[in-house]
Amino acid sequence: MRSCGGWRRFLLYFPLLLIIFHIFSFFEFRPNSVMEAGAKKRNKKSDHLVLGPAAGRALPNRLQCQGFKALNKSHLLTSSSAYNGGDRIAFVTVFTIYNASLYSHADSKSSNLVTVGNVSYTKTERSMAILNVFINFIQVTMPKSHVIILTNPESDLPLQRNRVTLYPIQGEYSRDKLMLQRIRSYITFLNTRLKELAQNPGRITHYIFTDSDIAVVDDLEHIFQKFTKFHVALTFRNNKEQPLNSGFIAVRGTPESILRAKTFLQEVLEVYTSKYMKASRMLGDQLALAWVIKSQPNFDVRRFKKVQAFVEEIGGASVLFLPCAIYNWTPPEGAGQFRGMPLDVKVVHFKGSRKRLMLESWDFFSSASDIYDMLCLILMSGRTKYDF
């Protein structure tokens, strides 16, 4: 009788057990997909600028903004009066494209397009747009300077601009080795210039090697006029592991400076290939730079904590250290940069996913024609990751 009663109770509760089983099954197999969908939604990069209050309010020597209007304006130089016709200056960058055609079918699918303002770009088109904006800013702030693009001979860059020269250099331009190739290209370029100067000494040309995702927002000729003894200049920040950023390297145009800069970069390349090849896609060059500098027995790394230029002898080269806060400033991303933008900023570096902001900034400047107001746009942005 007990057994029969137990079976009756089991049969009575069996439908309820089935329901409970299905509920647990649902929560066991469904939450992952729901959570993944939520994560994808949270991690999805924005396809537009997300603006917030301008950082650095009421701090001295910081740009103060009210909306897109700059409330204080310091000493940004005008394009016509700043450049006084002294020594020539050339900006040098490494750039290549990976698509066989700017208008390849795979690259032009609607899912691959990114729209900035009223223009939609494929991946390759937006890379070219960034390169053109890089040139645009230089030609506004330093109209007498020249731009030299070191590129893969196989890259057919559709670029015809005044005072812009394409300079093909053989090498390995794959994405994984591009930072490594960049240093090699710099060395090759400097070596060629050294030979040309030996054969035909003439007017000095100084060189500023930069990434192509920077905006020069003030004249830089003063670097070579104010600091008259350096051979090569680097930009630094208060970062223990990566105190140096390779996106801005200046070289004085004298034969001695070019030779010492070439020798210095050769040492960086040797350290790069021997110690940091695992970071060859990114950061390897910066880690190698830091190793070369910090390995000097008398170098005081505490100097990186102050936003103040200084000169040190490094392996026979006189190296000028310039603060990133002024010569290689990066817009905020995520929570924002609470100290704001230095009022005397010279170079804005649109690293990583900030490329959209670079294009948006040029569009804004084209309509407003005021660099300070454009800097307010940059300062107010960066509250999220952009789409490229």
Side-chain angles (χ1 to χ4, degrees):
M1 294 295 293
R2 288 181 183 174
S3 175
C4 183
W7 274 105
R8 286 196 187 99
R9 283 194 296 272
F10 175 77
L11 292 173
L12 179 64
Y13 290 113
F14 182 70
L16 180 60
L17 291 173
L18 284 176
I19 293 173
I20 294 173
F21 174 77
H22 283 296
I23 291 174
F24 275 105
S25 297
F26 174 83
F27 281 106
E28 182 179 357
F29 296 107
R30 293 294 296 170
N32 286 339
S33 59
V34 173
M35 290 172 63
E36 288 173 2
K40 287 181 180 179
K41 185 176 181 179
R42 288 193 301 271
N43 294 330
K44 185 180 185 300
K45 294 181 180 180
S46 176
D47 60 354
H48 62 279
L49 294 185
V50 177
L51 303 176
R57 289 185 178 181
L59 291 179
N61 299 319
R62 294 296 188 269
L63 182 66
Q64 304 297 316
C65 301
Q66 187 174 45
F68 297 138
K69 284 294 181 182
L71 301 179
N72 56 339
K73 299 185 178 184
S74 182
H75 54 273
L76 285 176
L77 305 178
T78 60
S79 60
S80 59
S81 61
Y83 200 90
N84 61 19
D87 294 335
R88 292 176 293 189
I89 294 177
F91 288 84
V92 185
T93 192
V94 172
F95 184 89
T96 189
I97 54 176
Y98 295 98
N99 295 37
S101 170
L102 276 175
Y103 305 101
S104 65
H105 177 69
D107 198 30
S108 60
K109 292 181 180 179
S110 59
S111 60
N112 293 329
L113 296 177
V114 172
T115 301
V116 178
N118 296 321
V119 182
S120 293
Y121 300 98
T122 65
K123 288 183 178 180
T124 308
E125 287 171 340
R126 70 193 188 216
S127 294
M128 290 301 304
I130 290 165
L131 180 64
N132 274 290
V133 168
F134 164 75
I135 297 169
N136 292 345
F137 276 115
I138 291 172
Q139 293 187 340
V140 165
T141 54
M142 300 179 65
K144 294 184 179 180
S145 62
H146 200 80
V147 177
I148 300 171
I149 301 172
L150 311 182
T151 187
N152 185 351
E154 298 178 1
S155 291
D156 185 18
L157 299 182
L159 189 69
Q160 293 183 342
R161 300 282 301 267
N162 291 331
R163 308 186 72 84
V164 176
T165 301
L166 297 180
Y167 195 107
I169 294 178
Q170 290 289 348
E172 188 175 1
Y173 289 83
S174 65
R175 294 183 189 276
D176 288 342
K177 299 291 173 47
L178 187 58
M179 295 299 98
L180 193 63
Q181 179 58 44
R182 180 171 68 173
I183 297 181
R184 288 172 172 157
S185 295
Y186 288 175
I187 293 170
T188 300
F189 176 80
L190 290 173
N191 192 52
T192 302
R193 285 293 182 256
L194 199 58
K195 293 178 180 178
E196 291 173 352
L197 282 174
Q199 297 175 357
N200 185 25
R203 187 179 174 188
I204 294 296
T205 299
H206 305 304
Y207 300 103
I208 300 177
F209 297 84
T210 74
D211 291 349
S212 58
D213 55 359
I214 71 161
V216 177
V217 296
D218 197 1
D219 190 273
L220 297 176
E221 187 183 20
H222 71 278
I223 294 175
F224 303 97
Q225 295 176 340
K226 181 179 180 181
F227 306 98
T228 58
K229 302 297 183 181
F230 79 91
H231 300 126
V232 59
L234 306 173
T235 55
F236 71 91
R237 59 205 170 191
N238 185 17
N239 184 308
K240 184 177 180 181
E241 300 299 327
Q242 299 168 37
L244 301 166
N245 183 270
S246 58
F248 184 102
I249 300 174
V251 176
R252 187 175 295 281
T254 63
E256 180 186 7
S257 294
I258 292 176
L259 175 60
R260 292 187 183 275
K262 186 191 80 165
T263 303
F264 173 79
L265 289 177
Q266 284 173 330
E267 183 179 0
V268 172
L269 179 62
E270 182 179 345
V271 172
Y272 194 164
T273 54
S274 62
K275 295 180 179 294
Y276 298 111
M277 283 304 291
K278 290 184 178 179
S280 62
R281 184 180 180 93
M282 288 185 65
L283 303 180
D285 54 342
Q286 300 187 94
L287 295 172
L289 269 174
W291 192 94
V292 170
I293 299 301
K294 291 160 71 172
S295 65
Q296 301 299 308
N298 297 322
F299 188 82
D300 186 359
V301 296
R302 291 174 297 181
R303 302 193 73 171
F304 289 149
K305 295 182 179 180
K306 297 181 180 180
V307 185
Q308 186 176 1
F310 63 96
V311 178
E312 287 280 350
E313 292 296 318
I314 307 292
S318 179
V319 180
L320 169 65
F321 293 89
L322 299 167
C324 281
I326 298 173
Y327 295 94
N328 202 341
W329 186 82
T330 301
E333 187 178 58
Q337 184 164 328
F338 298 110
R339 294 187 177 181
M341 179 188 292
L343 193 55
D344 54 351
V345 66
K346 312 292 183 189
V347 176
V348 179
H349 194 168
F350 297 91
K351 302 175 190 172
S353 61
R354 300 165 179 84
K355 304 295 188 294
R356 163 181 288 279
L357 180 56
M358 184 175 181
L359 298 184
E360 296 271 12
S361 299
W362 175 254
D363 284 348
F364 183 88
F365 176 75
S366 297
S367 60
S369 298
D370 189 303
I371 286 184
Y372 274 100
D373 290 348
M374 180 201 72
L375 293 178
C376 283
L377 171 70
I378 295 172
L379 184 58
M380 293 171 62
S381 70
R383 297 310 188 269
T384 188
K385 290 183 178 294
Y386 313 116
D387 58 1
F388 67 95

